[in-house]
Amino acid sequence: MINQAAEQAPELTEVYQVDAVGLVCPLPILRFKKRTQHLPSGTQVEFLADDPTGRKDLQALCDITGHRIHWIREEGAGVLRYRISLA
């Protein structure tokens, strides 16, 4: 049984990525919405954006939809990486 659990672990940690680097408001949030609209609840998404208003806009979207931001990391060159769990 331990081997089965280990084999299933990669599926649990699979992360969908949405890259919106280089896009400006409102395009990063629109790209996020479009690329995640058909993904199941609980899907983990990494969202990359460098738009200065992106953090505020993403938080507003999550407040409306129930998505949860787990963490935000600075990647350099103004790029932020967000880990989000879809509602």
Side-chain angles (χ1 to χ4, degrees), residues 59-80:
Q59 184 61 59
L61 176 68
C62 290
D63 290 345
I64 292 167
T65 61
H67 300 329
R68 182 171 172 243
I69 300 173
H70 291 280
W71 47 256
I72 304 169
R73 294 187 182 147
E74 292 187 31
E75 297 288 303
V79 176
L80 296 176

PDB file of all heavy atoms in Angstrom, residues 59-80:
ATOM      1  N   GLN A  59      -6.789  39.291  -5.769  1.00  0.00           N
ATOM      2  CA  GLN A  59      -7.448  39.154  -4.466  1.00  0.00           C
ATOM      3  C   GLN A  59      -8.942  39.429  -4.595  1.00  0.00           C
ATOM      4  O   GLN A  59      -9.761  38.714  -4.013  1.00  0.00           O
ATOM      5  CB  GLN A  59      -6.826  40.093  -3.439  1.00  0.00           C
ATOM      6  CG  GLN A  59      -7.400  39.923  -2.041  1.00  0.00           C
ATOM      7  CD  GLN A  59      -7.169  38.526  -1.493  1.00  0.00           C
ATOM      8  OE1 GLN A  59      -6.039  38.087  -1.367  1.00  0.00           O
ATOM      9  NE2 GLN A  59      -8.235  37.798  -1.177  1.00  0.00           N
ATOM     10  N   ALA A  60      -9.307  40.440  -5.376  1.00  0.00           N
ATOM     11  CA  ALA A  60     -10.727  40.753  -5.579  1.00  0.00           C
ATOM     12  C   ALA A  60     -11.436  39.589  -6.281  1.00  0.00           C
ATOM     13  O   ALA A  60     -12.550  39.212  -5.889  1.00  0.00           O
ATOM     14  CB  ALA A  60     -10.874  42.034  -6.387  1.00  0.00           C
ATOM     15  N   LEU A  61     -10.798  39.010  -7.283  1.00  0.00           N
ATOM     16  CA  LEU A  61     -11.385  37.861  -7.977  1.00  0.00           C
ATOM     17  C   LEU A  61     -11.582  36.692  -7.009  1.00  0.00           C
ATOM     18  O   LEU A  61     -12.634  36.052  -7.009  1.00  0.00           O
ATOM     19  CB  LEU A  61     -10.500  37.436  -9.154  1.00  0.00           C
ATOM     20  CG  LEU A  61     -10.975  36.191  -9.886  1.00  0.00           C
ATOM     21  CD1 LEU A  61     -12.283  36.459 -10.633  1.00  0.00           C
ATOM     22  CD2 LEU A  61      -9.899  35.690 -10.843  1.00  0.00           C
ATOM     23  N   CYS A  62     -10.575  36.427  -6.189  1.00  0.00           N
ATOM     24  CA  CYS A  62     -10.671  35.323  -5.233  1.00  0.00           C
ATOM     25  C   CYS A  62     -11.760  35.578  -4.197  1.00  0.00           C
ATOM     26  O   CYS A  62     -12.469  34.649  -3.803  1.00  0.00           O
ATOM     27  CB  CYS A  62      -9.322  35.079  -4.563  1.00  0.00           C
ATOM     28  SG  CYS A  62      -8.102  34.370  -5.694  1.00  0.00           S
ATOM     29  N   ASP A  63     -11.922  36.816  -3.767  1.00  0.00           N
ATOM     30  CA  ASP A  63     -12.989  37.155  -2.826  1.00  0.00           C
ATOM     31  C   ASP A  63     -14.359  36.863  -3.432  1.00  0.00           C
ATOM     32  O   ASP A  63     -15.260  36.375  -2.752  1.00  0.00           O
ATOM     33  CB  ASP A  63     -12.912  38.625  -2.414  1.00  0.00           C
ATOM     34  CG  ASP A  63     -11.715  38.935  -1.529  1.00  0.00           C
ATOM     35  OD1 ASP A  63     -11.100  37.988  -0.988  1.00  0.00           O
ATOM     36  OD2 ASP A  63     -11.381  40.127  -1.397  1.00  0.00           O
ATOM     37  N   ILE A  64     -14.507  37.135  -4.718  1.00  0.00           N
ATOM     38  CA  ILE A  64     -15.786  36.926  -5.402  1.00  0.00           C
ATOM     39  C   ILE A  64     -16.045  35.444  -5.670  1.00  0.00           C
ATOM     40  O   ILE A  64     -17.159  34.961  -5.478  1.00  0.00           O
ATOM     41  CB  ILE A  64     -15.811  37.713  -6.729  1.00  0.00           C
ATOM     42  CG1 ILE A  64     -15.836  39.214  -6.452  1.00  0.00           C
ATOM     43  CG2 ILE A  64     -16.996  37.308  -7.603  1.00  0.00           C
ATOM     44  CD1 ILE A  64     -15.554  40.067  -7.676  1.00  0.00           C
ATOM     45  N   THR A  65     -15.018  34.720  -6.115  1.00  0.00           N
ATOM     46  CA  THR A  65     -15.197  33.339  -6.560  1.00  0.00           C
ATOM     47  C   THR A  65     -15.016  32.296  -5.455  1.00  0.00           C
ATOM     48  O   THR A  65     -15.443  31.157  -5.609  1.00  0.00           O
ATOM     49  CB  THR A  65     -14.196  32.999  -7.677  1.00  0.00           C
ATOM     50  OG1 THR A  65     -12.863  33.143  -7.169  1.00  0.00           O
ATOM     51  CG2 THR A  65     -14.401  33.885  -8.892  1.00  0.00           C
ATOM     52  N   GLY A  66     -14.325  32.682  -4.385  1.00  0.00           N
ATOM     53  CA  GLY A  66     -14.041  31.716  -3.327  1.00  0.00           C
ATOM     54  C   GLY A  66     -12.723  30.987  -3.521  1.00  0.00           C
ATOM     55  O   GLY A  66     -12.383  30.108  -2.729  1.00  0.00           O
ATOM     56  N   HIS A  67     -11.962  31.329  -4.584  1.00  0.00           N
ATOM     57  CA  HIS A  67     -10.625  30.753  -4.741  1.00  0.00           C
ATOM     58  C   HIS A  67      -9.781  31.202  -3.551  1.00  0.00           C
ATOM     59  O   HIS A  67     -10.051  32.232  -2.936  1.00  0.00           O
ATOM     60  CB  HIS A  67      -9.953  31.237  -6.028  1.00  0.00           C
ATOM     61  CG  HIS A  67     -10.680  30.909  -7.287  1.00  0.00           C
ATOM     62  ND1 HIS A  67     -11.467  29.790  -7.465  1.00  0.00           N
ATOM     63  CD2 HIS A  67     -10.735  31.578  -8.467  1.00  0.00           C
ATOM     64  CE1 HIS A  67     -11.962  29.778  -8.680  1.00  0.00           C
ATOM     65  NE2 HIS A  67     -11.539  30.859  -9.312  1.00  0.00           N
ATOM     66  N   ARG A  68      -8.733  30.428  -3.254  1.00  0.00           N
ATOM     67  CA  ARG A  68      -7.887  30.744  -2.088  1.00  0.00           C
ATOM     68  C   ARG A  68      -6.441  30.918  -2.516  1.00  0.00           C
ATOM     69  O   ARG A  68      -5.866  30.032  -3.152  1.00  0.00           O
ATOM     70  CB  ARG A  68      -7.994  29.612  -1.078  1.00  0.00           C
ATOM     71  CG  ARG A  68      -7.207  29.860   0.174  1.00  0.00           C
ATOM     72  CD  ARG A  68      -7.525  28.816   1.238  1.00  0.00           C
ATOM     73  NE  ARG A  68      -6.611  28.990   2.333  1.00  0.00           N
ATOM     74  CZ  ARG A  68      -5.729  28.074   2.726  1.00  0.00           C
ATOM     75  NH1 ARG A  68      -5.683  26.912   2.123  1.00  0.00           N
ATOM     76  NH2 ARG A  68      -4.925  28.314   3.718  1.00  0.00           N
ATOM     77  N   ILE A  69      -5.850  32.050  -2.178  1.00  0.00           N
ATOM     78  CA  ILE A  69      -4.430  32.283  -2.429  1.00  0.00           C
ATOM     79  C   ILE A  69      -3.656  31.687  -1.253  1.00  0.00           C
ATOM     80  O   ILE A  69      -3.835  32.097  -0.119  1.00  0.00           O
ATOM     81  CB  ILE A  69      -4.115  33.782  -2.570  1.00  0.00           C
ATOM     82  CG1 ILE A  69      -4.890  34.383  -3.741  1.00  0.00           C
ATOM     83  CG2 ILE A  69      -2.604  33.995  -2.745  1.00  0.00           C
ATOM     84  CD1 ILE A  69      -4.770  35.884  -3.867  1.00  0.00           C
ATOM     85  N   HIS A  70      -2.808  30.697  -1.546  1.00  0.00           N
ATOM     86  CA  HIS A  70      -2.018  30.041  -0.491  1.00  0.00           C
ATOM     87  C   HIS A  70      -0.755  30.829  -0.184  1.00  0.00           C
ATOM     88  O   HIS A  70      -0.370  30.946   0.968  1.00  0.00           O
ATOM     89  CB  HIS A  70      -1.643  28.615  -0.895  1.00  0.00           C
ATOM     90  CG  HIS A  70      -2.809  27.698  -0.936  1.00  0.00           C
ATOM     91  ND1 HIS A  70      -3.352  27.119   0.186  1.00  0.00           N
ATOM     92  CD2 HIS A  70      -3.568  27.281  -1.972  1.00  0.00           C
ATOM     93  CE1 HIS A  70      -4.378  26.368  -0.153  1.00  0.00           C
ATOM     94  NE2 HIS A  70      -4.536  26.452  -1.458  1.00  0.00           N
ATOM     95  N   TRP A  71      -0.070  31.306  -1.226  1.00  0.00           N
ATOM     96  CA  TRP A  71       1.133  32.090  -1.026  1.00  0.00           C
ATOM     97  C   TRP A  71       1.432  32.918  -2.260  1.00  0.00           C
ATOM     98  O   TRP A  71       0.889  32.676  -3.330  1.00  0.00           O
ATOM     99  CB  TRP A  71       2.339  31.238  -0.643  1.00  0.00           C
ATOM    100  CG  TRP A  71       2.602  30.001  -1.450  1.00  0.00           C
ATOM    101  CD1 TRP A  71       2.337  28.717  -1.063  1.00  0.00           C
ATOM    102  CD2 TRP A  71       3.206  29.896  -2.742  1.00  0.00           C
ATOM    103  NE1 TRP A  71       2.731  27.836  -2.045  1.00  0.00           N
ATOM    104  CE2 TRP A  71       3.266  28.532  -3.082  1.00  0.00           C
ATOM    105  CE3 TRP A  71       3.698  30.821  -3.647  1.00  0.00           C
ATOM    106  CZ2 TRP A  71       3.800  28.073  -4.286  1.00  0.00           C
ATOM    107  CZ3 TRP A  71       4.223  30.376  -4.860  1.00  0.00           C
ATOM    108  CH2 TRP A  71       4.275  29.012  -5.156  1.00  0.00           C
ATOM    109  N   ILE A  72       2.300  33.909  -2.057  1.00  0.00           N
ATOM    110  CA  ILE A  72       2.768  34.780  -3.134  1.00  0.00           C
ATOM    111  C   ILE A  72       4.284  34.871  -2.987  1.00  0.00           C
ATOM    112  O   ILE A  72       4.789  35.135  -1.897  1.00  0.00           O
ATOM    113  CB  ILE A  72       2.151  36.189  -3.041  1.00  0.00           C
ATOM    114  CG1 ILE A  72       0.627  36.114  -3.044  1.00  0.00           C
ATOM    115  CG2 ILE A  72       2.681  37.077  -4.158  1.00  0.00           C
ATOM    116  CD1 ILE A  72      -0.047  37.426  -2.681  1.00  0.00           C
ATOM    117  N   ARG A  73       4.996  34.662  -4.096  1.00  0.00           N
ATOM    118  CA  ARG A  73       6.459  34.749  -4.080  1.00  0.00           C
ATOM    119  C   ARG A  73       6.956  35.681  -5.173  1.00  0.00           C
ATOM    120  O   ARG A  73       6.432  35.664  -6.288  1.00  0.00           O
ATOM    121  CB  ARG A  73       7.077  33.363  -4.309  1.00  0.00           C
ATOM    122  CG  ARG A  73       6.794  32.413  -3.192  1.00  0.00           C
ATOM    123  CD  ARG A  73       7.548  31.125  -3.370  1.00  0.00           C
ATOM    124  NE  ARG A  73       7.196  30.221  -2.291  1.00  0.00           N
ATOM    125  CZ  ARG A  73       7.131  28.910  -2.399  1.00  0.00           C
ATOM    126  NH1 ARG A  73       7.409  28.339  -3.546  1.00  0.00           N
ATOM    127  NH2 ARG A  73       6.798  28.171  -1.370  1.00  0.00           N
ATOM    128  N   GLU A  74       7.979  36.455  -4.845  1.00  0.00           N
ATOM    129  CA  GLU A  74       8.613  37.305  -5.846  1.00  0.00           C
ATOM    130  C   GLU A  74       9.632  36.478  -6.605  1.00  0.00           C
ATOM    131  O   GLU A  74      10.480  35.821  -6.011  1.00  0.00           O
ATOM    132  CB  GLU A  74       9.276  38.501  -5.176  1.00  0.00           C
ATOM    133  CG  GLU A  74       8.265  39.460  -4.569  1.00  0.00           C
ATOM    134  CD  GLU A  74       8.903  40.733  -4.045  1.00  0.00           C
ATOM    135  OE1 GLU A  74       9.919  41.168  -4.616  1.00  0.00           O
ATOM    136  OE2 GLU A  74       8.368  41.273  -3.065  1.00  0.00           O
ATOM    137  N   GLU A  75       9.539  36.523  -7.924  1.00  0.00           N
ATOM    138  CA  GLU A  75      10.425  35.732  -8.785  1.00  0.00           C
ATOM    139  C   GLU A  75      11.574  36.564  -9.343  1.00  0.00           C
ATOM    140  O   GLU A  75      12.470  36.028  -9.950  1.00  0.00           O
ATOM    141  CB  GLU A  75       9.630  35.148  -9.956  1.00  0.00           C
ATOM    142  CG  GLU A  75       8.546  34.176  -9.534  1.00  0.00           C
ATOM    143  CD  GLU A  75       9.127  32.869  -9.048  1.00  0.00           C
ATOM    144  OE1 GLU A  75       9.876  32.219  -9.794  1.00  0.00           O
ATOM    145  OE2 GLU A  75       8.814  32.498  -7.905  1.00  0.00           O
ATOM    146  N   GLY A  76      11.512  37.871  -9.206  1.00  0.00           N
ATOM    147  CA  GLY A  76      12.512  38.743  -9.806  1.00  0.00           C
ATOM    148  C   GLY A  76      11.935  39.422 -11.040  1.00  0.00           C
ATOM    149  O   GLY A  76      10.957  38.947 -11.623  1.00  0.00           O
ATOM    150  N   ALA A  77      12.521  40.531 -11.431  1.00  0.00           N
ATOM    151  CA  ALA A  77      12.080  41.316 -12.587  1.00  0.00           C
ATOM    152  C   ALA A  77      10.613  41.722 -12.463  1.00  0.00           C
ATOM    153  O   ALA A  77       9.914  41.862 -13.455  1.00  0.00           O
ATOM    154  CB  ALA A  77      12.317  40.556 -13.891  1.00  0.00           C
ATOM    155  N   GLY A  78      10.134  41.873 -11.220  1.00  0.00           N
ATOM    156  CA  GLY A  78       8.759  42.307 -11.002  1.00  0.00           C
ATOM    157  C   GLY A  78       7.706  41.233 -11.137  1.00  0.00           C
ATOM    158  O   GLY A  78       6.512  41.502 -11.046  1.00  0.00           O
ATOM    159  N   VAL A  79       8.129  39.984 -11.361  1.00  0.00           N
ATOM    160  CA  VAL A  79       7.186  38.880 -11.539  1.00  0.00           C
ATOM    161  C   VAL A  79       6.805  38.298 -10.181  1.00  0.00           C
ATOM    162  O   VAL A  79       7.665  38.034  -9.343  1.00  0.00           O
ATOM    163  CB  VAL A  79       7.767  37.778 -12.425  1.00  0.00           C
ATOM    164  CG1 VAL A  79       6.836  36.587 -12.524  1.00  0.00           C
ATOM    165  CG2 VAL A  79       8.098  38.316 -13.813  1.00  0.00           C
ATOM    166  N   LEU A  80       5.510  38.139  -9.971  1.00  0.00           N
ATOM    167  CA  LEU A  80       5.001  37.475  -8.775  1.00  0.00           C
ATOM    168  C   LEU A  80       4.398  36.133  -9.154  1.00  0.00           C
ATOM    169  O   LEU A  80       3.726  36.004 -10.180  1.00  0.00           O
ATOM    170  CB  LEU A  80       3.928  38.335  -8.093  1.00  0.00           C
ATOM    171  CG  LEU A  80       4.405  39.672  -7.548  1.00  0.00           C
ATOM    172  CD1 LEU A  80       3.227  40.466  -6.991  1.00  0.00           C
ATOM    173  CD2 LEU A  80       5.451  39.477  -6.468  1.00  0.00           C
TER     174      LEU A  80
END
